[in-house]
Coordinates of all heavy atoms in Angstrom, one line a residue:
Q1 N 0.8 -1.2 0.0 CA 0.0 0.0 0.0 C 0.8 1.3 0.0 O 0.3 2.4 0.1 CB -0.9 0.0 1.2 CG -2.1 -1.0 1.1 CD -1.7 -2.3 1.8 OE1 -0.6 -2.5 2.2 NE2 -2.7 -3.2 2.0
G2 N 2.2 1.1 -0.1 CA 3.0 2.3 -0.3 C 3.7 2.7 1.0 O 4.4 3.8 1.0
L3 N 3.6 2.0 2.1 CA 4.3 2.4 3.3 C 5.5 1.4 3.6 O 5.3 0.2 3.7 CB 3.3 2.4 4.5 CG 2.1 3.3 4.4 CD1 1.4 3.3 5.8 CD2 2.5 4.7 4.0
N4 N 6.7 2.0 3.9 CA 7.8 1.2 4.2 C 8.2 1.2 5.6 O 9.4 1.1 6.0 CB 9.0 1.6 3.3 CG 9.4 3.0 3.5 OD1 8.7 3.8 4.1 ND2 10.6 3.3 3.0
F5 N 7.2 1.5 6.5 CA 7.4 1.5 7.9 C 6.2 0.9 8.6 O 5.1 0.8 7.9 CB 7.7 2.9 8.4 CG 6.8 4.0 7.9 CD1 5.5 4.2 8.5 CD2 7.1 4.7 6.7 CE1 4.7 5.2 8.0 CE2 6.2 5.6 6.2 CZ 5.0 5.9 6.8
P6 N 6.3 0.5 9.9 CA 5.1 -0.2 10.5 C 3.8 0.6 10.6 O 2.8 0.0 10.7 CB 5.7 -0.6 11.9 CG 7.1 -0.6 11.7 CD 7.5 0.5 10.7
A7 N 3.9 1.9 10.6 CA 2.7 2.8 10.8 C 2.0 2.5 12.1 O 0.7 2.3 12.1 CB 1.7 2.6 9.6
H8 N 2.7 2.4 13.1 CA 2.2 2.2 14.5 C 2.8 3.4 15.3 O 4.1 3.4 15.5 CB 2.5 0.9 15.1 CG 1.9 0.7 16.5 ND1 2.0 -0.6 17.1 CD2 1.2 1.5 17.3 CE1 1.4 -0.5 18.3 NE2 0.9 0.8 18.4
F9 N 2.0 4.3 15.7 CA 2.6 5.5 16.4 C 1.9 5.8 17.7 O 0.9 5.3 18.0 CB 2.3 6.8 15.5 CG 2.8 6.6 14.1 CD1 1.9 6.3 13.1 CD2 4.1 6.6 13.7 CE1 2.3 6.1 11.8 CE2 4.5 6.4 12.4 CZ 3.6 6.2 11.4
I10 N 2.6 6.6 18.5 CA 2.1 7.0 19.8 C 2.2 8.5 19.9 O 3.2 9.1 19.6 CB 2.9 6.4 21.0 CG1 2.9 4.9 20.9 CG2 2.3 6.9 22.3 CD1 3.6 4.2 22.0
I11 N 1.0 9.1 20.2 CA 0.9 10.6 20.3 C 0.9 10.9 21.8 O 0.0 10.4 22.5 CB -0.3 11.1 19.6 CG1 -0.4 10.7 18.2 CG2 -0.4 12.7 19.8 CD1 -1.7 11.0 17.5
I12 N 1.8 11.7 22.3 CA 2.0 11.9 23.7 C 2.0 13.3 24.1 O 2.8 14.1 23.5 CB 3.4 11.2 24.1 CG1 3.5 9.8 23.7 CG2 3.6 11.3 25.6 CD1 4.9 9.2 23.8
P13 N 1.2 13.7 25.1 CA 1.3 15.1 25.6 C 2.5 15.3 26.4 O 3.0 14.4 27.1 CB 0.0 15.2 26.5 CG -0.2 13.8 27.0 CD 0.3 12.9 25.9
L14 N 3.1 16.5 26.4 CA 4.3 16.8 27.2 C 4.0 16.9 28.7 O 4.8 16.4 29.4 CB 4.9 18.1 26.7 CG 5.5 18.2 25.3 CD1 6.1 19.5 25.0 CD2 6.5 17.0 25.1
P15 N 2.9 17.4 29.1 CA 2.7 17.4 30.6 C 2.5 16.0 31.1 O 1.9 15.2 30.5 CB 1.4 18.2 30.7 CG 1.3 19.1 29.5 CD 1.9 18.2 28.4
H16 N 3.0 15.8 32.3 CA 3.0 14.5 33.0 C 1.7 14.4 33.7 O 1.5 15.0 34.8 CB 4.2 14.3 33.9 CG 4.2 13.0 34.7 ND1 4.4 11.8 34.0 CD2 4.0 12.8 36.0 CE1 4.4 10.9 34.9 NE2 4.2 11.4 36.1
A17 N 0.7 13.7 33.2 CA -0.7 13.6 33.8 C -1.4 12.4 33.4 O -1.1 11.9 32.3 CB -1.5 14.9 33.4
P18 N -2.3 11.8 34.2 CA -2.9 10.6 33.9 C -4.0 10.7 32.8 O -4.3 9.7 32.1 CB -3.5 10.1 35.2 CG -3.7 11.4 36.0 CD -2.6 12.3 35.6
T19 N -4.7 11.9 32.8 CA -5.7 12.1 31.8 C -5.5 13.5 31.2 O -4.8 14.4 31.9 CB -7.1 12.0 32.4 OG1 -7.3 13.1 33.3 CG2 -7.3 10.7 33.1
I20 N -6.1 13.8 30.1 CA -5.9 15.2 29.6 C -6.6 16.2 30.4 O -6.1 17.3 30.7 CB -6.4 15.2 28.1 CG1 -5.4 14.4 27.2 CG2 -6.4 16.6 27.6 CD1 -5.8 14.2 25.8
P21 N -7.9 16.0 30.8 CA -8.6 17.0 31.7 C -7.8 17.3 33.0 O -7.9 18.4 33.5 CB -9.9 16.4 31.9 CG -10.2 15.5 30.8 CD -8.8 14.9 30.4
S22 N -7.0 16.3 33.5 CA -6.3 16.6 34.7 C -5.1 17.5 34.6 O -4.5 17.9 35.6 CB -5.9 15.2 35.3 OG -4.8 14.7 34.5
M23 N -4.8 17.9 33.3 CA -3.6 18.8 33.1 C -3.9 20.2 33.5 O -3.0 21.0 33.7 CB -3.2 18.7 31.7 CG -2.7 17.4 31.2 SD -2.3 17.4 29.4 CE -2.1 15.7 29.1
G24 N -5.2 20.6 33.5 CA -5.6 22.0 33.8 C -7.0 22.2 33.5 O -7.8 21.3 33.1
S25 N -7.5 23.4 33.7 CA -8.9 23.7 33.5 C -9.4 23.4 32.1 O -8.9 23.9 31.2 CB -9.2 25.2 33.8 OG -10.5 25.5 33.5
P26 N -10.3 22.4 32.0 CA -10.8 22.1 30.6 C -11.5 23.2 29.9 O -11.6 23.3 28.7 CB -11.8 21.0 30.9 CG -11.5 20.4 32.3 CD -10.9 21.6 33.0
S27 N -12.0 24.2 30.7 CA -12.7 25.3 30.1 C -11.8 26.5 29.7 O -12.2 27.4 29.0 CB -13.8 25.8 31.0 OG -13.2 26.3 32.3
D28 N -10.5 26.4 30.1 CA -9.6 27.5 29.8 C -8.8 27.1 28.5 O -8.1 26.2 28.5 CB -8.6 27.6 31.0 CG -7.5 28.7 30.7 OD1 -7.6 29.4 29.7 OD2 -6.7 28.9 31.6
P29 N -9.0 27.9 27.5 CA -8.4 27.6 26.2 C -6.9 27.7 26.2 O -6.2 27.2 25.3 CB -9.0 28.6 25.2 CG -9.4 29.7 26.1 CD -9.9 29.1 27.4
N30 N -6.3 28.3 27.3 CA -4.9 28.5 27.4 C -4.2 27.5 28.4 O -3.0 27.6 28.6 CB -4.5 29.9 27.8 CG -4.9 30.9 26.7 OD1 -4.6 30.7 25.5 ND2 -5.5 32.0 27.1
S31 N -5.0 26.6 28.9 CA -4.5 25.7 29.9 C -3.7 24.6 29.2 O -3.8 24.4 28.0 CB -5.7 25.0 30.7 OG -6.4 24.1 29.8
D32 N -2.8 23.9 30.0 CA -2.0 22.8 29.4 C -2.9 21.8 28.8 O -2.6 21.2 27.7 CB -1.2 22.1 30.5 CG 0.0 23.0 30.9 OD1 0.3 24.0 30.2 OD2 0.6 22.7 31.9
A33 N -4.1 21.5 29.4 CA -5.0 20.5 28.9 C -5.5 20.9 27.5 O -5.5 20.1 26.6 CB -6.2 20.3 29.9
S34 N -6.0 22.1 27.4 CA -6.6 22.6 26.1 C -5.5 22.6 25.0 O -5.8 22.2 23.9 CB -7.2 24.0 26.3 OG -8.2 24.0 27.2
R35 N -4.3 23.1 25.3 CA -3.3 23.2 24.3 C -2.8 21.8 23.9 O -2.6 21.5 22.7 CB -2.1 24.0 24.8 CG -2.4 25.5 25.1 CD -1.1 26.3 25.1 NE -0.2 25.7 26.0 CZ -0.1 26.0 27.4 NH1 -0.9 26.8 27.9 NH2 0.8 25.4 28.1
A36 N -2.6 20.9 24.9 CA -2.1 19.6 24.5 C -3.2 18.8 23.7 O -2.9 18.2 22.7 CB -1.8 18.8 25.8

């Protein structure tokens, strides 16, 4: 199909947190959670 690599990736947020909402205020567009 035209790919010469496994095509298995991991997307990782930089902040160290168990969930995305736990990184900061979910309602704040400038929080770590929103940006990540």
Side-chain angles (χ1 to χ4, degrees):
Q1 289 94 349
L3 302 187
N4 61 343
F5 46 86
H8 185 174
F9 308 104
I10 302 181
I11 305 172
I12 305 170
L14 294 182
H16 179 68
T19 67
I20 294 174
S22 69
M23 295 174 194
S25 172
S27 60
D28 180 2
N30 295 315
S31 69
D32 286 349
S34 298
R35 294 198 311 270

